[in-house]
Amino acid sequence: MTRKRAFLTILLIATTSIALFDLSRTELVRPEYQLLDFRVSYCAGAAVDARADAYRVEPIRSCEHAHPTPLLARTPNLVLAWVLPGYDLAPLAALARLPFDAAAVVYVLALCAALAGAVVLIARTTGAPPAMTSAALVLSAGLPSLVLGQVVPFELLAVAATAAALRARRERLAGALAALTCIEPHVGLFVCAALAYAVAGARLTIAAGLAVLALLAVAVTGLEAQITYVLQDLPLQALSEVTSKEQFSLAYVLSYAGLPVRAALAAGAVSTLAMLVVATILARRARVRGDAYVVYLPAAAAIVGGTYVHLAQVALAIPAALLALRDADSPRLRGAIAFAIVLLAIPWPYPATLKQLLPAALLIVGVLTWYLTRGSIVRTLAAAACCWLVLIPIENHLTGPPPVLALAARPAGELATVSGAEATHAESTRDPFHFAVKVATWSGLLLLTGSSMLLAARSAQSPRPA
């Protein structure tokens, strides 16, 4: 056993070193070429700090092009719009007082700290080994978020903290933390609704927390800006994203299949409402197996179907999968959930288009399979080999140069989402490759959804003590 552990330790160190070396040779690690979403956040914060409208073309466009990426440099009229509520701008306004480079470093460090905190809390609330939890989240949540500068690690931390508070029987604190999951409102809505339905002690603090966020949004941006955001920005953003190649939503799938855009969007919205009802009921029923289900199941359901799901948000389903794995009451169910975890842990479009990410993907698959099979070397090597066989043929797929976006100059007072929508339409593609690389992620979400429903349905008959 000592020799076996030594060999596995050396193998893990070697494969991790190779993965990090290959990752260091990609453009993903160079902030001047990436952190695209952070530029939007920084400029929106700077606009609010200057008492300007963060949802309009100016001063957002000028600020973004003062710190350009290659995409911004070759598209002078492009405006990347701020599409989150006004309360998210409060900390960004303070951050924007720093020079851009310093603010970027602070923001990336905050993302890393949030992700690390989320890993610790998720491991505690699900019973999963910390190393396994880290492996499940380091690429799924870490890679897209750190490359682009997205808010998903903060959202993941808020979700995990809510589950930890509820597990500790601190219902009022859980309600207050649930309000913070509205960093991303379409996820927070699910968490708050399920918690309010299942936990009476959290209702007051949920309501108070949401009221504070609403007042903060108005205080930061003004009432008119928030009304415009809700009534105009959000519908336009959802409509423009239906055909985006970055989408993982049901609306995108239906549009790709030929359904008219507005009909696809309507069907996606209906699926969101249906999942909200189903997740709220199932979360309350599954609570007999553990309080964390009340938080993790709705967070996972929020990214199934719908109208707006991006790659980084897929990581929000992993805590529910780890929790369900703990309580799986049959080998088949455990196998389905384990497979779902592996599928969700890899952001497949990245290794499918960047050869240097293949070692990292194989490493994550190997580590997860090792834990999921309780240390089976044969199954671990087989899983890594299967992943390699799947990725090798497609990672050499030539996606071609990025499109040249000929965008019209927009008036300074126009909504920035108009320019963003034009750019999204220009970049939309029906290339089967961009659809095919999402199939593994969709399969993982569907496996998790079906397994969670089955587990929740069995909860009343055979509850398992936490």
Side-chain angles (χ1 to χ4, degrees):
M1 288 298 295
T2 301
R3 291 181 179 179
K4 179 181 178 181
R5 288 177 181 174
F7 171 75
L8 292 174
T9 300
I10 294 173
L11 181 62
L12 181 61
I13 293 174
T15 52
T16 302
S17 300
I18 294 172
L20 290 175
F21 174 75
D22 269 11
L23 182 61
S24 69
R25 296 188 296 134
T26 70
E27 63 182 23
L28 301 180
V29 300
R30 291 179 283 180
E32 67 272 19
Y33 288 108
Q34 293 298 328
L35 288 179
L36 194 61
D37 289 346
F38 171 70
R39 282 164 167 78
V40 185
S41 301
Y42 179 85
C43 291
V48 166
D49 190 51
R51 299 187 182 279
D53 193 337
Y55 298 99
R56 303 288 172 177
V57 168
E58 292 293 351
I60 299 298
R61 191 205 69 81
S62 297
C63 175
E64 290 173 351
H65 286 268
H67 313 285
T69 64
L71 172 62
L72 292 167
R74 65 176 178 262
T75 318
N77 292 326
L78 175 62
V79 186
L80 301 173
W82 172 258
V83 294
L84 291 173
Y87 50 75
D88 283 349
L89 289 170
L92 294 173
L95 185 63
R97 295 175 184 175
L98 296 175
F100 177 82
D101 290 340
V105 171
V106 171
Y107 190 80
V108 169
L109 290 176
L111 287 176
C112 293
L115 184 57
V119 167
V120 171
L121 292 176
I122 291 168
R124 288 179 181 176
T125 51
T126 63
M132 176 182 170
T133 306
S134 300
L137 293 170
V138 67
L139 286 186
S140 60
L143 184 60
S145 298
L146 292 173
V147 167
L148 297 171
Q150 294 189 346
V151 300
V152 169
F154 301 130
E155 177 71 16
L156 193 63
L157 177 60
V159 169
T162 304
L166 187 60
R167 183 172 178 265
R169 306 298 186 186
R170 302 182 66 180
E171 296 180 352
R172 292 181 180 179
L173 177 60
L177 292 171
L180 292 181
T181 65
C182 291
I183 293 170
E184 292 197 284
H186 60 300
V187 177
L189 171 65
F190 276 69
V191 175
C192 289
L195 193 62
Y197 178 68
V199 184
R203 291 168 188 165
L204 181 60
T205 49
I206 290 174
L210 294 179
V212 169
L213 290 180
L215 292 174
L216 181 61
V218 172
V220 170
T221 67
L223 180 60
E224 182 180 354
Q226 287 306 294
I227 292 175
T228 302
Y229 165 71
V230 172
L231 298 182
Q232 297 183 37
D233 276 280
L234 284 182
L236 180 59
Q237 177 72 7
L239 189 63
S240 67
E241 284 275 340
V242 172
T243 59
S244 171
K245 65 182 181 181
E246 306 296 333
Q247 275 292 320
F248 284 72
S249 65
L250 175 63
Y252 165 80
V253 174
L254 296 176
S255 173
Y256 188 90
L259 200 66
V261 168
R262 292 188 180 276
L265 188 61
V270 170
S271 77
T272 296
L273 293 175
M275 288 301 298
L276 176 61
V277 173
V278 170
T280 300
I281 295 172
L282 291 183
R284 182 176 181 178
R285 178 173 293 184
R287 191 184 180 191
V288 297
R289 294 180 181 267
D291 288 326
Y293 278 103
V294 179
V295 179
Y296 288 153
L297 272 184
I303 59 169
V304 177
T307 60
Y308 194 94
V309 180
H310 279 199
L311 179 59
Q313 294 163 342
V314 171
L316 295 170
I318 289 177
L322 294 174
L323 196 60
L325 180 73
R326 182 195 71 184
D327 295 333
D329 49 13
S330 71
R332 288 186 179 181
L333 185 59
R334 179 180 173 83
I337 297 171
F339 190 37
I341 291 173
V342 174
L343 292 177
L344 296 174
I346 306 296
W348 297 99
Y350 280 88
T353 54
L354 290 172
K355 292 183 64 174
Q356 293 89 346
L357 284 176
L358 177 60
L362 296 180
L363 173 63
I364 295 302
V365 169
V367 171
L368 286 175
T369 306
W370 168 263
Y371 279 100
L372 292 169
T373 60
R374 297 183 174 89
S376 171
I377 294 179
V378 173
R379 293 182 181 180
T380 297
L381 293 177
C386 288
C387 180
W388 178 75
L389 290 173
V390 169
L391 287 175
I392 281 294
I394 63 174
E395 69 168 357
N396 294 314
H397 177 85
L398 299 178
T399 58
V404 177
L405 306 179
L407 305 180
R410 296 290 178 178
E414 189 175 57
L415 291 175
T417 45
V418 176
S419 176
E422 185 182 3
T424 300
H425 287 308
E427 286 188 308
S428 296
T429 176
R430 295 186 64 83
D431 181 359
F433 173 79
H434 290 285
F435 187 91
V437 294
K438 301 172 184 177
V439 171
T441 300
W442 285 325
S443 300
L445 290 173
L446 291 176
L447 271 175
L448 173 60
T449 301
S451 300
S452 299
M453 288 183 175
L454 183 60
L455 194 61
R458 293 176 179 174
S459 295
Q461 288 76 30
S462 55
R464 177 177 178 176

